[in-house]
């Protein structure tokens, strides 16, 4: 059981690693750890998600908690339900973008505050493995609740669209179908892969893998759509395509959304420290306060609360909104892009063009025998720059910068370099990879 407890969630292969019996133990351990009396539980469309719900709910109710069954839902809907229903916590049953044989749990406390490896997942692991939960509790009850209409009303309250934009939506046979079900009438939707199927028959539900976007890029060009949106498995991430069929880099998409948000007045916005310098520049040019954040949803959500930020964007395609209990809402991200198009009268490609001003390597992974000596060598070599260690080692110079950080789960170092010119970026990338890879 130990290997399924990760840095940000619980995840494994069904039924060998995770099944109804293990789910029951996790349900008991979750209640023992949190003390929750009312828990919201949603699930994705994987064939085994229902079995995991039944096991999880059996364990939770045995420990005296009441379970509110959302049924099928997107992960953002589960966060919304957590806060809206004033629950003591929530669990989303999903393995996100992983292939169909995977499944797992995303855990939260009240107000959709995430439980991560550092804030409780390892405690839940210990309790689940040892069976150290209270015995002879008065059993709780299971009830059902349909959150879809309330979530749709929440999304619609942000819409300022004055015309129906044509949008190609790649649902990836997944929970994006639920994420935007209540607002599709605001758009002229061209659907792709719009039947729920937890075996993912068309492609992996992972917009970070750019080859999964080939079909939607072609469809946007074929139909003359205003933009495209490609959801991941549980719809807490989304990749966006401009009107020319080009991928909008996820950091630059953060800057687009910031423009719509800041049109209402000054606000604090967080950006992933791996983002292009164009992102904080855009935020500040539009009257916002830009603050770097480290990688990982648990860290970002905490930092948003600490800084009273209204929005944060992550390079992986997570977009976080204060209004959704400081959690993701890809439906809201889609609406805010539409707002910006309608307000400016510009095509998406024209909105993105001014942000494409620097040259980035993208994130490059390198296997290393030992992380610490490599980071020490980098610190020494680039000591003349502006160095900070919010997440790994970042160093800024006048015309280029880089970040190198360790993976949470593998013996990898992840490098990203950005510069004012392509030549400088390539030169510095090669220089750093020479240090990292020896």
């Amino acid at each position: 059981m130990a290997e399924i407890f990760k840095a940000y969630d619980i995840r494994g292969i069904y039924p060998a690693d995770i099944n109804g019996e293990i789910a029951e133990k996790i349900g008991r351990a979750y209640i023992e750890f949190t003390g929750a009396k009312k828990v919201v539980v949603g699930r994705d469309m994987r064939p085994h998600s229902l079995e995991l719900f039944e096991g999880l709910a059996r364990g939770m109710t045995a420990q005296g908690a009441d379970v509110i069954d959302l049924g099928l839902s997107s992960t953002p809907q589960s966060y919304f339900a957590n806060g809206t229903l004033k629950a003591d916590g929530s669990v989303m049953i999903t393995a996100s973008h992983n292939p169909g044989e995977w499944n797992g749990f995303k855990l939260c406390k009240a107000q959709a505050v995430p439980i991560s490896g550092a804030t409780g997942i390892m405690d839940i692991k210990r309790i689940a493995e040892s069976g150290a939960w209270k015995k002879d509790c008065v059993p709780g009850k299971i009830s059902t609740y349909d959150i879809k209409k309330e979530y749709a009303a929440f999304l619609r309250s942000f819409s300022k669209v004055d015309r129906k934009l044509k949008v190609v939506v790649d649902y990836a046979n997944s929970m994006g179908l639920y994420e935007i079900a209540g607002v599709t009438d605001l758009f002229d939707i061209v659907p792709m892969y719009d039947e729920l199927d937890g075996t993912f028959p068309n492609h992996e539900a992972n917009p970070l893998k750019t080859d999964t976007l080939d079909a939607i890029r072609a469809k946007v060009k074929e139909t003359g759509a205003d933009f495209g949106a490609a959801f991941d498995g549980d719809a807490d991430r989304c990749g966006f395509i401009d009107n020319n069929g080009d991928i909008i880099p996820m950091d630059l998409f953060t800057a687009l959304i910031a423009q719509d948000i800041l049109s209402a007045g000054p606000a604090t916005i967080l950006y992933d420290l791996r983002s292009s310098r164009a992102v904080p520049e855009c935020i500040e040019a539009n009257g916002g306060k830009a603050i770097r954040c480290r990688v990982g949803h648990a860290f970002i959500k905490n930092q948003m609360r600490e800084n009273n930020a209204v929005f944060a964007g992550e390079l992986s395609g997570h977009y976080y909104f204060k209004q959704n209990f400081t959690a993701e809402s890809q439906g809201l991200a889609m609406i805010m892009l539409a707002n910006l198009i309608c307000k400016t009268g510009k095509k998406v490609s024209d909105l993105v063009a001014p942000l494409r001003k620097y040259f980035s390597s993208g994130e490059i992974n390198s296997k290393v025998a030992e992380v610490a000596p490599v980071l020490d060598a980098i610190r020494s070599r680039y000591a003349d720059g502006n160095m900070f260690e919010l997440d790994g080692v970042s160093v800024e110079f006048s015309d280029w910068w880089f970040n190198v950080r360790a993976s949470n789960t593998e013996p990898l170092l992840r490098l990203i370099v950005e510069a004012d010119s392509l030549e400088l970026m390539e030169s510095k990338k090669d220089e750093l990879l020479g240090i990292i890879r020896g």
Side-chain angles (χ1 to χ4, degrees), residues 112-126:
V113 173
I115 301 174
S116 67
T119 61
I121 285 179
M122 294 306 150
D123 297 286
I124 291 170
K125 168 183 173 290
R126 175 182 51 78

Side-chain angles (χ1 to χ4, degrees), residues 12 26 39 59 65-66 86 91 127 132 134 148 163 172 225 274 312 343 354 401 407 430:
I26 291 170
V39 184
D66 292 332
K86 295 180 169 49
V91 177
I127 297 167
K134 294 183 184 69
K148 291 190 289 292
R163 58 191 173 95
R274 301 167 296 173
K343 180 175 60 181
W401 65 270
S407 165
D430 292 343

Side-chain angles (χ1 to χ4, degrees), residues 45 168-178 180-181 184 189-197 201-203 231:
M45 67 294 140
V168 179
V169 179
D170 181 349
Y171 294 104
N173 303 105
S174 302
M175 299 315 300
L177 282 158
Y178 277 62
I180 62 167
T184 53
I189 298 287
V190 180
M192 298 179 69
Y193 315 132
D194 57 343
E195 294 182 357
L196 291 177
D197 189 336
N202 293 291
H203 64 74
F231 290 98

Side-chain angles (χ1 to χ4, degrees), residues 96-350:
S96 188
H97 61 275
N98 284 93
E101 65 270 22
W102 287 75
N103 217 324
F105 306 108
K106 294 183 176 181
L107 313 176
C108 291
K109 298 179 183 178
Q111 296 292 299
V113 173
I115 301 174
S116 67
T119 61
I121 285 179
M122 294 306 150
D123 297 286
I124 291 170
K125 168 183 173 290
R126 175 182 51 78
I127 297 167
E129 288 181 332
S130 65
W133 49 68
K134 294 183 184 69
K135 307 300 190 290
D136 302 321
C137 299
V138 177
K141 298 178 180 178
I142 301 174
S143 61
T144 60
Y145 195 91
D146 188 348
I147 199 68
K148 291 190 289 292
K149 287 184 179 179
E150 287 164 84
Y151 186 68
F154 163 73
L155 295 181
R156 298 176 82 91
S157 70
F158 292 91
S159 174
K160 301 168 191 162
V161 298
D162 56 11
R163 58 191 173 95
K164 282 194 175 186
L165 301 177
K166 181 180 284 189
V167 183
V168 179
V169 179
D170 181 349
Y171 294 104
N173 303 105
S174 302
M175 299 315 300
L177 282 158
Y178 277 62
E179 171 69 5
I180 62 167
V183 295
T184 53
D185 63 303
L186 298 176
F187 304 92
D188 176 10
I189 298 287
V190 180
M192 298 179 69
Y193 315 132
D194 57 343
E195 294 182 357
L196 291 177
D197 189 336
T199 67
F200 305 103
N202 293 291
H203 64 74
E204 188 177 347
N206 185 2
L208 273 182
K209 292 189 175 180
T210 55
D211 61 314
T212 69
L213 302 175
D214 289 346
I216 188 174
R217 295 177 66 190
K219 183 66 75 172
V220 167
K221 288 191 284 187
E222 174 195 326
T223 59
D226 292 287
F227 66 92
F231 290 98
D232 80 337
D234 62 334
D236 68 352
R237 291 190 298 124
C238 194
F240 289 89
I241 311 298
D242 74 12
N243 51 290
N244 292 329
D246 294 326
I247 297 168
I248 303 172
M250 290 168 173
D251 53 347
L252 302 189
F253 188 83
T254 296
L256 294 182
I257 298 303
Q259 292 176 58
D260 182 57
I261 291 170
L262 293 170
S263 66
T268 297
I269 292 175
L270 271 54
Y271 65 97
D272 182 332
L273 59 78
R274 301 167 296 173
S275 300
S276 169
R277 281 184 294 163
V279 176
E281 289 171 358
C282 178
I283 292 168
E284 290 166 358
N286 283 273
K289 181 179 180 181
I291 299 178
R292 291 187 188 94
C293 58
R294 64 178 298 183
V295 179
H297 80 107
F299 300 115
I300 293 172
K301 291 168 181 176
N302 183 57
Q303 198 171 340
M304 284 182 73
R305 288 183 166 93
E306 288 176 349
N307 291 278
N308 194 30
V310 298
F311 173 64
E314 193 173 8
L315 203 62
S316 54
H318 290 272
Y319 304 109
Y320 308 91
F321 297 88
K322 180 180 180 179
Q323 296 95 331
N324 194 33
F325 303 96
T326 316
E328 297 93 329
S329 175
Q330 301 309 318
L332 194 46
M334 184 172 158
I335 283 173
M336 287 188 172
L337 176 59
N339 288 345
L340 190 63
I341 295 168
C342 290
K343 180 175 60 181
T344 63
K346 294 181 178 180
K347 295 180 178 179
V348 179
S349 57
D350 294 331

Side-chain angles (χ1 to χ4, degrees), residues 3 79 101 413:
E3 66 277 3
Y79 295 144
E101 65 270 22
L413 280 175

